[in-house]
Amino acid sequence: MCNIIDLMFDLNTEENNIHIKTKSMLNNGLNFISDSIDHFLNFEQQNTLENTSENILFNELKYSVLHLHSGIALVLKSVLFFNHWTYIFSDMNKASQKELNDGSFKSVESNKLISRLEQLCNIKISQKDINKFEQLRNYRNKFEHFMLDIKCSSDIQSVINYNFDFIIRFIEKNYQEFSMAEREIDNNYIIGLTQSENEFLQEIIHKIKKIKFQYNNALKLATKLAEEISCKEDLLICPHCKEKTLTYGKINKKDVFCFFCGYEETCSTFAHENYIGFDETHYCPYCGNDTFVFSPADNKWICYSCNIIYEDNQIHICSNCKNTYETSDENIDEPGLCPQCIENKIHDN
């Protein structure tokens, strides 16, 4: 992947505007996809109601197609942009920073977009995905220029659903292209997604899982995002959605957050609400906070404050003071007592 940071030597020149457009392109693409999901969900809901006018159904389906095609195209173009800004020009030999900055350039056409991803970025897209994206483009053209018969909505729905599947798979499979992208935005050097882009991805996950056949795709993308924060082995099962996409103490060092359903809570409240009555919370032997619990589902001891994790056999509960302690060679002869209680016992004798 070409390093876009090579373009960032003089922040006082026109080049500074290029990096802002990088942000806008991906942001806008994710925004369009999120809006497309809204229209599709509205269509599904309205389609189940009696006396819903065909005009309402037509408009919901139309804007779902228009926004989805624009969104997918912008997400794909943003990958080209991350690699090099000239890649998004229809004629790369005539690429101009001035035209890029004032928006007067002609961008790469849809039929060339995917071939450039393959040739310039080494990103492979299946022929079936290409064909379905082309079908979406054809429906977009028909919606823009003609009045489609709503009776063919089942075919349109199928194409929309497939392209939801396509773009979610694309983002999940090529997530490194987004998470490792190097950019300068508003004079700040960043690596990876902006907060706004992450928020749009969360919106997409939370909305698209409501669509039939899209639940698993939403879960895969949520897991990918969670694994960027925690390694796979550290993810926990969320008490709300029951999926293993829960991170803890990773977002701002105190919150528990599920990337699939959006559940969030402070570490202390989460530990007490989810483990009191099932297994008491304990004082962590490492940080001392009352957020140390045993998770039967994971067979591990976990502190939701300092993130430390112990295997089940590494921790004992003192039979005297009820505090937890790490097992070691020194206390193996008195497995029911913690080191402090053993020391007190010796002194008493």
Side-chain angles (χ1 to χ4, degrees), residues 48-227:
T48 63
L49 303 177
E50 293 183 7
N51 302 321
T52 301
S53 71
E54 286 194 0
N55 188 53
I56 291 176
L57 295 175
F58 176 85
N59 284 332
E60 294 294 356
L61 213 53
K62 174 178 69 176
Y63 288 115
S64 183
V65 167
L66 297 180
H67 290 181
L68 181 57
H69 184 272
S70 296
I72 292 176
L74 285 171
V75 170
L76 299 183
K77 286 178 183 179
S78 72
V79 175
L80 289 177
F81 206 119
F82 288 151
N83 281 265
H84 202 281
W85 63 273
T86 61
Y87 290 176
I88 65 168
F89 278 73
S90 177
D91 186 344
M92 291 189 292
N93 293 320
K94 297 180 180 179
S96 161
Q97 290 181 8
K98 180 180 182 303
E99 290 183 0
L100 178 71
N101 291 335
D102 62 26
S104 63
F105 71 99
K106 181 180 179 183
S107 66
V108 58
E109 297 85 354
S110 294
N111 60 340
K112 294 181 181 178
L113 177 56
I114 291 177
S115 63
R116 283 195 187 175
L117 284 170
E118 294 180 346
Q119 295 168 10
L120 302 177
C121 306
N122 197 31
I123 292 177
K124 305 299 181 184
I125 297 175
S126 74
Q127 189 59 49
K128 184 177 182 180
D129 289 343
I130 294 173
N131 293 341
K132 290 294 184 180
F133 183 53
E134 179 66 16
Q135 281 185 269
L136 183 69
R137 187 179 73 85
N138 290 337
Y139 276 126
R140 180 208 63 175
N141 291 341
K142 291 177 181 178
F143 271 122
E144 284 182 340
H145 301 101
F146 306 103
M147 189 73 172
L148 288 181
D149 189 345
I150 198 65
K151 293 178 181 178
C152 69
S153 65
S154 60
D155 294 333
I156 303 173
Q157 289 178 73
S158 176
V159 171
I160 293 173
N161 245 317
Y162 187 94
N163 279 276
F164 281 147
D165 176 86
F166 162 52
I167 194 58
I168 294 299
R169 281 188 289 106
F170 179 87
I171 295 173
E172 189 266 335
K173 182 179 179 181
N174 301 287
Y175 189 72
Q176 189 174 359
E177 292 286 337
F178 305 100
S179 65
M180 298 301 291
E182 298 173 332
R183 292 178 282 172
E184 181 116 5
I185 297 175
D186 301 333
N187 292 332
N188 293 313
Y189 174 67
I190 69 165
I191 297 178
L193 297 171
T194 64
Q195 180 179 347
S196 176
E197 291 160 355
N198 269 310
E199 287 172 355
F200 274 127
L201 277 176
Q202 284 297 312
E203 276 188 21
I204 290 170
I205 290 171
H206 297 158
K207 292 175 182 178
I208 207 167
K209 67 184 181 184
K210 300 174 185 177
I211 299 175
K212 191 176 181 181
F213 307 125
Q214 297 297 335
Y215 186 95
N216 287 339
N217 286 323
L219 180 58
K220 287 179 181 178
L221 182 56
T223 302
K224 177 67 71 175
L225 296 181
E227 288 176 356

Side-chain angles (χ1 to χ4, degrees), residues 236 239 246 256 263 265-275 304:
L236 300 177
L246 190 77
V256 172
Y263 166 78
E265 190 51 86
T266 62
C267 295
S268 178
T269 301
F270 173 81
H272 283 79
E273 285 185 352
N274 290 282
Y275 290 94
Y304 291 101

